[in-house]
Amino acid sequence: MATENDVELRAYRTNVNDKQDSTRTRFQVEAVEEADPQVDAIWPPLTEDDDRVLTADAVPMTAYYRGNESSHGRVRPSLVALHEGRYEPLSPLAQQPLDEGAVETEQPDNQEPQLQGWWGRLWRRSSKPKAPQKFGWLLGVLVRCMLNIWGVMLFIRLSWVVGQAGIGLASVVILLSSVVTTLTTLSMSAICTNGEVKGGGAYYLISRSLGPEFGGAIGIIFSLANAVAVALYVVGFSETVGDLIEDNGSSFLDSSGKGVNLIRLVGFIIVTLLLMIALVGLDWEAKVQLVLLAILLLAIMDAVLGVVVYSFGNNDEICFDHSKSRVSRGFTGFSGDTFKNNFGPDFRGQGSNDLSSFFSVFSIFFPAATGILAGANISGDLKDPQVAIPRGTMLAIFITSIVYLGMAWMVGMTVNREVAVAMGCNMTIANITNSTDCSERLLVNEMASMYCGHCSREGGNCEFFALLHSFQVIEMISLVGPIITAGIFAATLSSALASLIGAPKIFQRVCQDNIFPYISFFAKGQGRSGTEPVRGYLLAYVIAAVCIVSLGDLNAIAPIISNFFLMAYALINYACFAASFTKSPGWRPSFRYYNQWVSLVASLLCLAIMFIINWWTALITIVIVIMLYSYVSYKKPDINWGSYGQAFHYTQVLRSLRKMEVVDEHVKNYRPQVLVLTGPPSSRPDLVYFAYHITKDVGSMICGDVLQGDLLQNRQLLLSNRQSRWLNQRNLKAFYHNVAADSVKEGVSAMLQLTGIGKLRPNTLVLGYKTDWNIISNEKLEEYVEIIHSALDLNYGICIFRLRAGFDVRDRGGKASHYVAVSSRPQQQLPRNASGQILTEDTTRNSLTSDTVTSYNMAIEGGSIHDTTQDGEDEPSNSSSEEPITMPSRFEERQQAGFIDVWWLYDDGGLAILLPYLLAQHSQWRSCKLRVFTATLTSGDIDSTRLRMTSLLRKFRINFSQVVVIDDMNQIPSAESVKQYREKLPHDVNDDQLDKKTLRQIRLGELLHNYSSSSDTKIIFLTIPIPQRSLVSAQLYMSWLEVMSHDLPPIAMVRGNQTSVLTFYS
């Protein structure tokens, strides 16, 4: 029974299509909608004036969950729309009809009106652009995989594998290949069924699972491997053509007798014909594949029937037949002796090739197993890749493995490993390594020696046949030889065609993702469907032709692509393992027959086989992958596919945090974890870079931003990630955290209490110095000092950083900085641009101009939130100034040689000496040396004080250039210094009497100017006194900081939390 929503949906769709052809019934409309992928994108959220239902919620449907790559996706009602009741009109996409072809539209006068009825439908169908061909699991995956697996190896190299490895190890070769491919298919099936699969095959699976780094590397390698595979299969075809020509007594274009030139010529012609088939279109290619499969099946049946007929039928070809007969070439029929002699291995080299081991033979055969990706390579052309790829691939592996095993045992039981025929003689000489079925063996040998000369491997007057020496054994044992030849042509051509189709499609997807530069030329689709990688076809053709012309040897090409395919298999298995191991909620494959540890073992097995086959080609493959991976990691393309590498990092971080929680902190592992009150980091780059140079690769850094006002007013800034992107774009390893509060004090207090997690909570507060402390209201000043008190209450260390020119944009222009990180004005008073739009982060923070700075808050630097003119009016903006103000930091560049002066006057636990030491370790500050200043306890105790400090620094293993001892710290400051101090005090402060602490700070300011005001001093670190909440007022404390830090190089006023952060114990 239809639900209320179903009735509403049907009614809505009926209203949308009220102009539809009256001959179409409601049921026909619904049938079209179910087949139309845009149906889900049509149903819009309700609007305010919509009377369908009394809710603004949209029903669950596919359109709201489509990725960004889909053109049919739409946005569900936003949280703001539902929460605040804001309704928007329907978008043009929602207003369009379901089937544009079924809607009558007004025709221009110069066009023929649409025809109605059967002729109209036929005309509209023929006028529509041709849609890309889509395939099911049978034709799209099973047929392609079988054709690729039954490639050149089945008819040309399987018998040779049996001759080298024997029946037993040949079966192991086949089963090992099947195990690798089956395990890989299980992993691939799990990945395929965990979401929609688009074009790109193995590249798409790996890149969307492991990220663009691994994906880009394997995309290039896998595309190249498939292009080289075209050469492999075409060379196999050409070898068959060469054998046919040789059987007819011709050595065309080759004086060496090896037929290499003929192979190259035929291969070049064939690969050109395959290119033409690929350019015609994928639908034609599919029809050709079906014909080739029929020929291939007929050839397999022909080989089986031939063995049966010649083994159990009347066969008179015994000993005195021509050298081209079956018996003379090693055929014995089903024989126990032949099975026994052929069961064990007999590895032999061939020419310059080293084929003396099991894995050498395995490397020759393994490319046959690479056909399992033939279906996945055209994943974008499958109707349902999630169903087609697992089903078709698994069935193809099962069928082809059975056939390979059956054929291997069949030839191993009926054909000798090696026979020799005297050159020019019509008699079969002796079987060198195996016995024959000839009843007159001695007579044959005597007559052969008399008429033909003695035949031996050493003598060189023999012609060798059978498993080890003939690649045409399957044709020799077949019932009708030409059918096998046709089967060889079908197998090689089908595999070559599948690789020629697959390689460009994979490469096209790599180009479309813009991972690598300079290859976007191959991303564009062409052809009738507009998606065919025609340019990629031409590139694959060139690569295959070069391999054919330069190599021309199947055994030389096979090991090259084996490593490439094994690397792809290893990454597919690892991708499945990584996805399962991370336990990501997004990992929900519908294919359940996989195991994460089996996938890991399969991945390691692929890597091991790579090195066993050929260690140096494996190293080259891995080096290429590492180089491509490193390049993509360095370039950091703006791509986020939600890889399982991200999920793995999350789980690792989570586990590490939990482990850290159960371990008590130790002073040896102390790291500065800094909360920096930057406001928007882009507005105070000097403060950001200063803190970053201390914490880089050592501790954590969080940029804090207080947005003054309620949460709703600052929601857009709270949810924005622009400042985080600003940090990432400059490779600043820091986090950005903002909070909305009624006041700066409340916001900072919230951050001090809540920022961080576990042992990664901040332990040091860094903030900018308030240069306008003596002109702002007492409330604002007390709020600033209260931030320091709050940090000390929570056991934070303090670092107050001051620059002569300040930090903000306005400071660069010479004006005092007095901006807060937020705007507390109501909506009607917020700054607006020329068009009346409220200046938000989108319109202000990314394009700061000198006129907008005056009306928009930039950083936590002080009191008022906007400048006013003398008349109290807002300063008018200068519309002519449109250039954005750039804000390079003085700390971005390498600092010149000089000193980092450290005034370590009070023992605060060591923070005052640790921070300058860490700063000096940064590459931008390594030319600066530490110069440590300390004070004597009593007058005249200079040497002992220097010795004590030098010894302490050496125990801490802190390098320094010199230790300067101040022995006149307790002297009374000069009258001029006292006068300057009084001038800076606010007018409402009583300065009739100055206590000893104040005089000490004034004296310290004199010493700082005497010792650390020269150009050699690049930055100063100074320990400051702790303000006693009940005894030191905000005005008094700020006056102390002012007299110590004014008119000096950059100065960091530091105070630790009286807990040791250094130790000299191991």
Side-chain angles (χ1 to χ4, degrees):
M1 184 175 181
T3 64
E4 181 180 357
N5 287 337
D6 294 332
V7 175
E8 293 162 358
L9 178 60
R10 186 178 297 110
Y12 171 75
R13 289 172 171 169
T14 304
N15 293 333
V16 170
N17 293 277
D18 55 359
K19 295 183 179 181
Q20 189 175 345
D21 189 351
S22 59
T23 60
R24 187 184 296 273
T25 67
R26 174 173 62 87
F27 301 99
Q28 289 171 325
V29 171
E30 291 181 346
V32 171
E33 291 168 2
E34 291 297 324
D36 190 348
Q38 294 188 1
V39 170
D40 291 335
I42 302 304
W43 177 244
L46 303 179
T47 60
E48 186 176 18
D49 299 330
D50 204 322
D51 58 355
R52 287 175 290 162
V53 289
L54 298 179
T55 179
D57 284 312
V59 296
M61 54 181 53
T62 307
Y64 298 130
Y65 296 91
R66 295 189 186 275
N68 295 331
E69 298 178 2
S70 175
S71 59
H72 305 305
R74 60 175 294 115
V75 180
R76 63 171 58 84
S78 66
L79 183 61
V80 175
L82 297 176
H83 191 208
E84 300 183 6
R86 300 179 184 178
Y87 298 94
E88 298 178 356
L90 294 179
S91 63
L93 176 63
Q95 294 175 347
Q96 70 181 13
L98 291 176
D99 188 359
E100 295 180 359
V103 179
E104 295 182 2
T105 57
E106 296 182 1
Q107 300 288 338
D109 295 336
N110 58 349
Q111 289 189 4
E112 181 181 355
Q114 284 189 335
L115 301 176
Q116 302 297 326
W118 184 85
W119 285 102
R121 290 193 294 272
L122 180 62
W123 181 84
R124 287 192 294 273
R125 180 181 303 174
S126 62
S127 63
K128 290 183 179 180
K130 184 177 178 61
Q133 179 75 17
K134 296 291 184 179
F135 304 102
W137 70 273
L138 183 63
L139 185 60
V141 180
L142 179 63
V143 171
R144 292 177 184 276
C145 289
M146 290 174 61
L147 285 172
N148 245 26
I149 297 174
W150 284 335
V152 64
M153 299 299 169
L154 179 61
F155 296 108
I156 298 180
R157 287 296 186 272
L158 180 61
S159 59
W160 176 85
V161 169
V162 175
Q164 289 278 348
I167 298 174
L169 289 184
S171 301
V172 175
V173 168
I174 297 171
L175 292 176
L176 180 59
S177 301
S178 299
V179 167
V180 172
T181 55
T182 300
L183 296 180
T184 303
T185 302
L186 294 177
S187 300
M188 181 176 65
S189 300
I191 299 174
C192 288
T193 58
N194 192 53
E196 290 187 358
V197 179
K198 303 186 186 307
Y203 159 72
Y204 185 89
L205 300 179
I206 295 174
S207 62
R208 269 51 177 182
S209 299
L210 298 180
E213 294 85 2
F214 274 119
I218 208 63
I220 297 295
I221 287 182
F222 200 61
S223 301
L224 180 62
N226 276 275
V228 176
V230 177
L232 174 78
Y233 301 124
V234 171
V235 167
F237 175 91
S238 303
E239 283 187 0
T240 304
V241 175
D243 290 339
L244 290 176
I245 295 178
E246 185 179 355
D247 288 343
N248 291 301
S250 175
S251 57
F252 183 70
L253 286 179
D254 199 346
S255 59
S256 64
K258 296 181 180 180
V260 176
N261 290 337
L262 179 61
I263 290 174
R264 291 168 176 167
L265 177 62
V266 174
F268 183 80
I269 295 173
I270 293 302
V271 76
T272 303
L273 293 176
L274 292 176
L275 173 65
M276 295 180 180
I277 296 176
L279 294 176
V280 170
L282 200 60
D283 50 349
W284 280 95
E285 183 263 349
K287 297 175 183 177
V288 172
Q289 295 279 32
L290 283 177
V291 175
L292 295 177
L293 178 62
I295 298 174
L296 190 58
L297 293 174
L298 183 61
I300 294 174
M301 295 175 60
D302 178 46
V304 175
L305 290 176
V307 170
V308 172
V309 170
Y310 293 129
S311 295
F312 301 104
N314 184 15
N315 188 1
D316 295 330
E317 297 175 334
I318 303 297
C319 291
F320 296 97
D321 199 2
H322 190 269
S323 62
K324 295 183 180 179
S325 68
R326 294 179 181 85
V327 175
S328 63
R329 293 197 172 193
F331 180 75
T332 65
F334 287 103
S335 168
D337 291 337
T338 304
F339 173 79
K340 179 179 179 181
N341 292 327
N342 289 346
F343 190 82
D346 186 12
F347 297 111
R348 300 182 187 180
Q350 184 174 357
S352 60
N353 295 329
D354 181 14
L355 301 174
S356 58
S357 66
F358 169 81
F359 284 99
S360 299
V361 176
F362 177 83
S363 68
I364 302 298
F365 176 81
F366 186 76
T370 60
I372 64 169
L373 296 177
N377 288 345
I378 62 165
S379 56
D381 298 301
L382 300 176
K383 295 178 181 178
D384 190 357
Q386 292 179 285
V387 175
I389 293 177
R391 180 184 299 174
T393 307
M394 291 299 296
L395 187 57
I397 292 175
F398 177 76
I399 295 174
T400 54
S401 298
I402 295 298
V403 172
Y404 266 115
L405 284 173
M407 294 285 283
W409 280 65
M410 185 178 70
V411 298
M413 296 171 66
T414 59
V415 181
N416 283 317
R417 175 170 280 141
E418 184 179 46
V419 295
V421 175
M423 298 178 63
C425 182
N426 291 336
M427 295 183 181
T428 301
I429 311 303
N431 184 349
I432 292 179
T433 58
N434 303 317
S435 64
T436 67
D437 292 335
C438 181
S439 60
E440 300 178 355
R441 177 177 178 179
L442 295 176
L443 177 62
V444 169
N445 285 329
E446 293 177 359
M447 296 181 64
S449 300
M450 182 183 302
Y451 293 102
C452 305
H454 182 67
C455 176
S456 66
R457 186 183 292 109
E458 292 78 6
N461 58 340
C462 297
E463 187 175 3
F464 297 97
F465 295 98
L467 298 178
L468 285 176
H469 300 284
S470 177
F471 294 145
Q472 306 299 325
V473 169
I474 303 297
E475 180 186 5
M476 182 260 294
I477 64 176
S478 65
L479 186 64
V480 181
I483 295 180
I484 297 298
T485 302
I488 296 174
F489 290 167
T492 55
L493 293 180
S494 63
S495 300
L497 188 58
S499 297
L500 185 61
I501 295 294
K505 288 186 174 293
I506 298 171
F507 189 63
Q508 182 187 36
R509 189 70 188 187
V510 177
C511 299
Q512 289 173 347
D513 289 335
N514 292 321
I515 297 178
F516 299 100
Y518 312 120
I519 60 174
S520 57
F521 174 80
F522 298 97
K524 184 178 180 181
Q526 294 173 320
R528 296 179 62 185
S529 64
T531 60
E532 291 298 315
V534 175
R535 298 171 180 175
Y537 290 150
L538 297 175
L539 179 62
Y541 164 77
V542 171
I543 295 174
V546 169
C547 291
I548 292 171
V549 174
S550 61
L551 298 176
D553 184 5
L554 188 148
N555 289 356
I557 299 175
I560 297 176
I561 64 174
S562 291
N563 272 301
F564 286 166
F565 281 109
L566 280 168
M567 176 57 73
Y569 291 174
L571 289 179
I572 290 176
N573 285 293
Y574 178 74
C576 181
F577 164 76
S580 303
F581 184 75
T582 57
K583 296 180 174 59
S584 173
W587 176 248
R588 302 183 303 275
S590 57
F591 184 84
R592 299 296 182 183
Y593 304 103
Y594 74 95
N595 181 272
Q596 61 178 2
W597 302 112
V598 172
S599 297
L600 178 61
V601 170
S603 180
L604 297 176
L605 178 63
C606 292
L607 291 176
I609 292 175
M610 286 177 59
F611 281 93
I612 294 175
I613 289 176
N614 193 315
W615 66 267
W616 62 267
T617 56
L619 282 180
I620 291 176
T621 304
I622 292 176
V623 167
I624 293 175
V625 171
I626 292 176
M627 291 176 60
L628 294 174
Y629 179 94
S630 302
Y631 175 83
V632 178
S633 299
Y634 175 76
K635 287 297 183 180
K636 291 182 175 59
D638 188 16
I639 296 174
N640 185 5
W641 292 321
S643 68
Y644 293 109
Q646 299 172 356
F648 179 75
H649 291 159
Y650 175 86
T651 56
Q652 288 297 100
V653 170
L654 197 59
R655 290 192 184 102
S656 299
L657 284 174
R658 289 170 178 168
K659 290 180 180 179
M660 292 172 63
E661 279 299 294
V662 299
V663 178
D664 294 333
E665 294 180 350
H666 194 278
V667 62
K668 288 195 299 184
N669 297 323
Y670 175 86
R671 294 172 181 269
Q673 297 172 172
V674 176
L675 171 61
V676 192
L677 300 184
T678 61
S682 59
S683 69
R684 306 183 81 184
D686 285 334
L687 184 59
V688 172
Y689 275 94
F690 164 74
Y692 171 67
H693 287 173
I694 293 176
T695 60
K696 181 184 179 183
D697 299 329
V698 175
S700 62
M701 173 180 168
I702 301 174
C703 296
D705 185 2
V706 178
L707 307 176
Q708 192 170 340
D710 59 23
L711 186 147
L712 185 61
Q713 178 183 351
N714 294 285
R715 179 180 55 206
Q716 182 179 1
L717 296 178
L718 287 170
L719 300 178
S720 174
N721 63 349
R722 290 189 179 274
Q723 294 301 318
S724 296
R725 291 206 307 268
W726 184 88
L727 293 171
N728 294 332
Q729 289 168 0
R730 286 152 183 81
N731 199 27
L732 296 172
K733 298 178 178 64
F735 303 95
Y736 173 72
H737 178 59
N738 55 11
V739 61
D742 293 335
S743 66
V744 176
K745 172 187 170 182
E746 293 179 0
V748 174
S749 178
M751 284 194 289
L752 290 173
Q753 297 177 65
L754 301 176
T755 301
I757 180 173
K759 295 297 177 64
L760 294 184
R761 295 174 58 84
N763 53 32
T764 305
L765 177 68
V766 177
L767 66 163
Y769 179 73
K770 198 172 190 64
T771 57
D772 60 345
W773 66 275
N774 56 351
I775 61 174
I776 61 175
S777 64
N778 290 335
E779 291 77 8
K780 291 293 183 181
L781 181 58
E782 291 176 357
E783 184 180 53
Y784 179 83
V785 177
E786 186 60 31
I787 292 174
I788 300 175
H789 285 299
S790 299
L792 295 174
D793 291 339
L794 294 172
N795 210 30
Y796 276 70
I798 297 294
C799 179
I800 304 173
F801 191 48
R802 180 176 186 178
L803 297 177
R804 281 175 179 156
F807 300 103
D808 292 336
V809 180
R810 287 289 300 276
D811 293 331
R812 303 293 174 83
K815 296 185 178 181
S817 171
H818 47 280
Y819 302 95
V820 290
V822 293
S823 176
S824 59
R825 284 178 287 176
Q827 291 278 345
Q828 61 271 19
Q829 296 181 11
L830 287 175
R832 300 174 182 268
N833 58 18
S835 61
Q837 182 184 5
I838 296 177
L839 292 176
T840 63
E841 186 170 58
D842 293 332
T843 59
T844 304
R845 289 190 178 180
N846 282 342
S847 57
L848 295 173
T849 58
S850 58
D851 56 301
T852 58
V853 169
T854 62
S855 58
Y856 192 77
N857 49 316
M858 292 307 301
I860 302 178
E861 180 69 24
S864 61
I865 54 177
H866 64 283
D867 285 341
T868 58
T869 61
Q870 293 180 355
D871 298 331
E873 300 292 338
D874 285 347
E875 183 177 343
S877 62
N878 183 8
S879 60
S880 62
S881 177
E882 297 295 340
E883 290 296 326
I885 297 177
T886 58
M887 296 176 292
S889 171
R890 69 191 69 189
F891 299 130
E892 289 186 61
E893 299 179 355
R894 187 179 182 87
Q895 302 297 308
Q896 297 179 356
F899 294 102
I900 299 176
D901 285 354
V902 183
W903 289 72
W904 195 11
L905 304 178
Y906 313 110
D907 188 352
D908 61 347
L911 185 66
I913 192 65
L914 178 62
L915 295 186
Y917 168 77
L918 295 177
L919 182 67
Q921 301 307 305
H922 194 276
S923 58
Q924 304 289 58
W925 294 86
R926 284 181 182 170
S927 59
C928 299
K929 299 179 180 179
L930 290 186
R931 185 168 57 181
V932 181
F933 292 81
T934 186
T936 59
L937 297 176
T938 59
S939 178
D941 193 18
I942 297 177
D943 293 338
S944 61
T945 301
R946 181 182 292 108
L947 182 61
R948 183 182 67 252
M949 179 59 68
T950 301
S951 175
L952 182 61
L953 293 175
R954 287 176 177 173
K955 286 185 176 181
F956 286 148
R957 302 169 303 282
I958 292 179
N959 297 325
F960 59 94
S961 62
Q962 65 182 111
V963 173
V964 179
V965 179
I966 307 297
D967 64 343
D968 55 352
M969 176 72 75
N970 297 324
Q971 289 185 4
I972 299 176
S974 65
E976 182 65 23
S977 297
V978 174
K979 179 181 177 182
Q980 292 178 358
Y981 171 78
R982 294 179 186 275
E983 291 175 351
K984 291 183 177 296
L985 291 175
H987 298 293
D988 57 350
V989 176
N990 184 8
D991 60 344
D992 293 338
Q993 293 182 351
L994 300 179
D995 57 15
K996 292 182 180 181
K997 288 186 177 180
T998 302
L999 292 175
R1000 180 180 176 85
Q1001 311 312 324
I1002 298 175
R1003 176 56 182 166
L1004 181 56
E1006 288 181 342
L1007 295 173
L1008 283 164
H1009 281 79
N1010 292 337
Y1011 288 95
S1012 298
S1013 61
S1014 65
S1015 59
D1016 291 339
T1017 301
K1018 303 305 177 183
I1019 191 171
I1020 304 170
F1021 284 83
L1022 169 68
T1023 51
I1024 57 176
I1026 295 177
Q1028 297 182 14
R1029 191 188 299 271
S1030 59
L1031 299 178
V1032 180
S1033 65
Q1035 291 86 351
L1036 180 58
Y1037 189 69
M1038 290 303 299
S1039 69
W1040 290 355
L1041 300 182
E1042 177 68 24
V1043 74
M1044 289 187 293
S1045 62
H1046 77 92
D1047 198 22
L1048 285 173
I1051 180 171
M1053 294 170 278
V1054 182
R1055 185 68 195 210
N1057 60 3
Q1058 302 304 114
T1059 301
S1060 295
V1061 299
L1062 294 172
T1063 181
F1064 43 77
Y1065 293 109
S1066 59

